Amino acid sequence: MRLILLGPPGAGKGTQAQRLVAKHDIIQLSTGDMLRAAVAAGTPVGMQAKEIMASGSLVPDEIVIGIISDRLDQPDMKNGFILDGFPRTVPQAEALDELLKKKHIKLDAVVELRVNESALLQRVESRVAEMRARGEEVRIDDTPEVLTKRLAQYRSMTEPLIHYYSERRKLLTVDGMLTIEQVTREINRILAAIDAADARAAAKKAQAKRARVAKAVKKPAKAAKKASKGAKKAATKVAKPAKGKVARRPVKAAKKVTKKRAKR
Ligand code: AMP
């Protein structure tokens, strides 16, 4: 299963991605997590991304495309993956299309979690409160000011992807305002339908292939039949020469008769 989860910050992409990972034994690729790890490790990419992320802006396309391209080459990807937070711009989506084409990977679906924007701020606030209560470190971009900027970024840069993937008949929209359980159920229902459609298409393809093979086997048999019919016809032609034409054997027979007559 190869999926993209699309939705604004706070839509629940991370939560649903984790559930899909557990159910389908696939890998979650979150560019946000990867960038945060790079920032924590102080890598050159991390150093470039740190300030940008803190301000709620988007990291340059070539950085995230490079991260994803490297990751898709890892052997653990063969079972499938779920992209969470990538692509986030049309050029990223185009680059991803190219990457997948080059790597001969088929994207199964893009699942959009559609949410009511006014509910997002509240969601993120409660996520922050829960994290604080658990004593976890809170993301520096989870403040109301930065969230407002991230939402604006989503609207202008990422929302066009809804049109991009719907044009390519990949988009499936789920109501992200339902409870976590309901959203999971809905995603699973959609993915099961895709699986069933794929299985039907594969069966149809296999049947068409079998029919082609059967036809190819029949063709030589027909050709052989035709050839033997032709040979028979040719033989009859020799045995019964056409009017005015002399066949070889009758010539030989005529010679014999002449010889016999000469002897007499
Ligand atoms: P996230 O955890 O997905 O909310 O991402 C956190 C931050 O990482 C974003 O606000 C961006 O600054 C950066 N980021 C993550 N994914 C991307 C991406 N695909 N393109 C550009 N920036 C990204």
Side-chain angles (χ1 to χ4, degrees):
M1 189 62 62
R2 284 149 191 103
L3 301 171
I4 292 176
L5 266 188
L6 203 59
K13 298 189 298 294
T15 308
Q16 295 301 332
Q18 278 168 16
R19 290 175 164 223
L20 287 164
V21 164
K23 185 173 164 71
H24 298 277
D25 190 24
I26 52 179
I27 303 283
Q28 176 188 7
L29 292 184
S30 156
T31 37
D33 285 349
M34 290 187 227
L35 288 167
R36 276 185 287 278
V39 170
T43 65
V45 164
M47 270 144 57
Q48 242 180 301
K50 192 175 178 181
E51 292 307 316
I52 303 172
M53 290 172 76
S55 71
S57 299
L58 291 185
V59 172
D61 287 342
E62 53 283 10
I63 292 185
V64 279
I65 292 165
I67 293 178
I68 288 292
S69 175
D70 290 346
R71 195 60 188 88
L72 287 176
D73 288 334
Q74 304 297 313
D76 61 349
M77 286 294 120
K78 68 179 189 316
N79 229 10
F81 55 77
I82 177 155
L83 291 171
D84 158 16
F86 180 91
R88 248 176 162 102
T89 63
V90 171
Q92 287 181 20
E94 288 168 345
L96 178 65
D97 280 350
E98 274 300 305
L99 280 178
L100 296 179
K101 201 168 147 194
K102 240 195 267 166
K103 297 177 200 289
H104 305 288
I105 299 171
K106 179 183 163 269
L107 183 69
D108 291 300
V110 177
V111 179
E112 180 211 358
L113 297 181
R114 191 164 289 179
V115 286
N116 175 349
E117 245 190 49
S118 57
L120 290 178
L121 203 62
Q122 212 182 337
R123 269 196 189 184
V124 174
E125 273 170 4
S126 54
R127 177 167 85 190
V128 169
E130 282 166 22
M131 286 175 85
R132 285 217 172 94
R134 288 197 297 266
E136 290 170 13
E137 203 180 316
V138 174
R139 280 169 55 165
I140 53 168
D141 56 354
D142 264 351
T143 61
E145 304 75 45
V146 180
L147 182 69
T148 308
K149 186 161 176 197
R150 285 162 64 204
L151 278 174
Q153 290 273 7
Y154 179 82
R155 245 178 278 123
S156 63
M157 310 292 279
T158 314
E159 238 172 33
L161 293 183
I162 293 171
H163 177 66
Y164 183 92
Y165 286 116
S166 106
E167 255 193 340
R168 284 159 182 75
R169 304 169 69 89
K170 290 281 179 203
L171 189 79
L172 298 156
T173 300
V174 171
D175 180 0
M177 297 310 292
L178 300 171
T179 64
I180 292 175
E181 283 304 326
Q182 285 170 324
V183 172
T184 306
R185 259 205 303 279
E186 191 56 17
I187 294 176
N188 286 337
R189 192 187 61 75
I190 286 174
L191 297 184
I194 291 176
D195 261 350
D198 279 354
R200 274 198 304 276
K204 215 171 161 185
K205 211 172 159 186
Q207 199 184 5
K209 195 178 171 186
R210 276 199 300 276
R212 269 203 310 278
V213 170
K215 209 173 167 188
V217 169
K218 256 190 188 170
K219 249 191 192 165
K222 251 189 174 173
K225 220 175 172 183
K226 216 176 169 184
S228 86
K229 240 186 182 175
K232 260 188 197 167
K233 222 175 175 182
T236 332
K237 255 193 185 166
V238 171
K240 284 190 209 159
K243 258 188 192 171
K245 280 192 182 167
V246 184
R248 245 180 233 163
R249 241 182 243 151
V251 168
K252 263 189 188 171
K255 266 186 188 167
K256 255 185 193 172
V257 172
T258 334
K259 262 186 191 173
K260 266 185 193 171
R261 275 192 193 148
K263 266 186 192 173
R264 263 195 244 146

